[in-house]
Amino acid sequence: MQWRFPGSSTNTTGTSPPNAMPERALCLDRRRFLQGTAALGLSLACAQAFAQSPKLVYDVVVVGAGGAGLAAAVSAAQAGASVCVLEKMSSIGGDTQRSAGFMAVVDPDRQQPWGIEDSFDLHVSQTLRTGHDLGNPQLVRQMVEKAPAVVRWLEAMGVMFEPCVYEAEGTGLRRCIRPIAARGDGYIRALSHEALRLGVEIYTDAAVMSLAPDLTGAVRGVTVRLAGSTFPKFVSARNGVILATGGFGASDALVRKWAPELAELPTDSSASSTGDGLLMAGQLGAQLECMEHIECVTGVKSEKNIAVRLAAPADMIYVNDSGERFAEENEAQDALAAAIRAQHDGRCFVIFDSAAVASLDPLTQKSLYRALVADAIFSAPSLEKLAEILKIPAQGLRRSIETYNSRLDSGEKSGKCRTMPCKKIRKSPFWGYEAALMIHNTAGGLKIDVKGRVLKTSGEPIAGLWAAGAVTGSVHGANCSSGNGLTDVFVMGKITGEQVALAGNSR
Ligand SMILES: Cc1cc2nc3c(=O)[nH]c(=O)nc-3n(C[C@H](O)[C@H](O)[C@H](O)COP(=O)(O)OP(=O)(O)OC[C@H]3O[C@@H](n4cnc5c(N)ncnc54)[C@H](O)[C@@H]3O)c2cc1C
């Protein structure tokens, strides 16, 4: 039975000023902070505080405190709306927090000092091509053209970026920037601090269970289940609700439904990425798109739960269990995953040398050495010894590497070396590990328009409902080109926040 939000007609008065954090919440939270248990050391409020909060009416309710949700909350609050963010986990950040932090942006100030020529048109065409032309061209262009301003917006909040630009996988072009702070931490810290400064209320341990439409079908709020409480609470949203619940890489049921061939694969996504927003909006007739396009990447195959992702395709090769190289390592992720699955028993080994290790950034080096100590990655003085450890034929491995090196010697510019400065694999000690495919990114999700409004199968927007980030499926198409995931998250997060705040003016 469809739930009708009680009292929605009495809650449609004008825009109120941003709510202050309830005192009880702050006081509870300060204690948590002092105990060192509050996520990121921020003044977040937990479910217990929320249960006692009398304020359950906001202009904007944001579901999910990852990058998209926090960006939406900040921009809505900057536009004068009262905002509440509900996060189901006990800490904020989602996949954004665990990401590598790369954002793709065309920025001559950053790229030209390195001699890189780039343009909006090139970024748009590469994005569409990588996504097999399934992305919405209007949304892609909007993402690309708004990205530089969004980077400045993030910088104004305190995100500090490295001066380098990194190659966006598969594009042959250095277009990605990333914060100085490790992984996604820089974004989450800056956005959540700014949100709290603007009076946004952020509640953790608060899982949204369903959207609450009124009799006309317009979304007027959400039901939320608080950790430790039996009954759900209703939270009213005067202007609208923004779904920012992330992807569905950690949902066995959804992966099995949309890409059964990938069921059983592990994932490097956060356990929170279970597609909740898709299911909730689906109940209101939202259209889904590109759901079958689930990206996989290679990680270390090990029981030891060691997370290493060697995203340096110029400097390593993949071989199968005969020691034969079988793919261009910088192919689009869907093609690469298919090539790996086609090998005998789907087995694949990553091989590189110590020169490659030396050229990696310190964080990746650290994870490599940690894996080395844990016997999840191996290094050996010769290729023969490495082959013995990996239990693959030494002859096959040596032949693959000699062929690869001699092609580079002859200056052959084919395959990945056409677009990347490939280096020979020759400096001992040699490194290798058995790689396993992991579900990384779910490209599909809710169909949205350029304002982030969630569309029904009829093409009409669902009144009162917006979405941003990995819960949406309209931007990337079949593959998310590296760095575009976060660019989309922050661009669409900012846009939806502004749009929902503006929606109050038309009431
Ligand atoms: C290991 C890894 C590395 C990556 N590196 C990069 C990179 O370098 N560059 C790049 O562009 N992309 C990268 N990505 C992809 C990128 O991280 C994601 O696309 C992006 O973080 C998604 O942001 P989001 O805000 O949409 O979702 P998330 O950051 O996942 O946030 C969603 C939030 O919603 C919450 N939530 C879910 N359901 C509910 C509910 N029912 N009620 C309340 N809260 C809920 C979740 O707990 C979570 O906190 C990476 C992904 C992974 C897994």
Side-chain angles (χ1 to χ4, degrees), residues 153-230:
W153 181 66
L154 292 168
E155 285 177 321
M157 274 177 249
V159 180
M160 286 194 289
F161 289 94
E162 291 179 12
C164 323
V165 272
Y166 293 88
E167 162 130 7
E169 269 167 60
T171 64
L173 207 84
R174 289 198 284 157
R175 180 188 286 145
C176 288
I177 55 172
R178 69 172 179 188
I180 287 168
R183 311 225 158 251
D185 200 44
Y187 301 116
I188 297 299
R189 268 176 195 275
L191 284 163
S192 52
H193 275 291
E194 184 64 6
L196 291 171
R197 197 185 68 76
L198 291 167
V200 172
E201 295 177 18
I202 304 175
Y203 293 96
T204 54
D205 294 315
V208 172
M209 311 301 291
S210 61
L211 299 166
D214 65 13
L215 290 169
T216 69
V219 175
R220 297 290 181 206
V222 300
T223 58
V224 55
R225 189 182 294 280
L226 310 170
S229 82
T230 323

Side-chain angles (χ1 to χ4, degrees), residues 410-476:
S410 70
E412 185 182 299
K413 290 258 178 246
S414 66
K416 68 175 176 180
C417 305
R418 199 161 39 83
T419 55
M420 313 181 93
C422 296
K423 289 184 221 102
K424 287 191 275 189
I425 298 174
R426 62 178 174 188
K427 192 165 191 306
S428 164
F430 297 96
W431 291 62
Y433 60 88
E434 179 159 7
L437 277 180
M438 289 183 301
I439 292 173
H440 177 63
N441 200 32
T442 48
L446 300 172
K447 184 166 184 170
I448 53 166
D449 66 10
V450 286
K451 294 178 175 172
R453 294 182 300 181
V454 177
L455 303 179
K456 294 186 219 172
T457 42
S458 62
E460 291 294 301
I462 298 177
L465 189 61
W466 283 256
V471 70
T472 69
S474 303
V475 179
H476 307 295

Side-chain angles (χ1 to χ4, degrees), residues 63-69 86-89 93-96 98-102 206-208 244-246 268-269 272-273 276 280 440-441 468-470 483-486 489:
V63 187
L86 300 170
E87 166 56 51
K88 72 175 174 181
M89 306 300 274
D95 275 354
T96 308
R98 61 198 286 143
S99 77
F102 290 111
V208 172
T245 50
D268 64 357
S269 292
S272 63
S273 296
D276 301 11
M280 288 188 266
H440 177 63
N441 200 32
N484 276 350
L486 290 177
V489 156

Side-chain angles (χ1 to χ4, degrees), residues 8-94:
S8 56
S9 57
T10 57
N11 284 329
T12 50
T13 50
T15 304
S16 62
N19 294 342
M21 179 80 89
E23 257 179 37
R24 171 80 177 143
L26 271 175
C27 126
L28 258 183
D29 192 60
R30 201 162 289 132
R31 193 164 67 228
R32 277 158 59 98
F33 175 79
L34 289 173
Q35 287 167 345
T37 55
L40 297 171
L42 292 167
S43 297
L44 305 180
C46 62
Q48 200 184 344
F50 190 53
Q52 292 160 7
S53 166
K55 286 179 185 161
L56 295 174
V57 183
Y58 302 84
D59 295 329
V60 180
V61 172
V62 179
V63 187
L70 291 172
V74 168
S75 79
Q78 285 175 338
S82 63
V83 185
C84 167
V85 181
L86 300 170
E87 166 56 51
K88 72 175 174 181
M89 306 300 274
S90 50
S91 61
I92 62 171

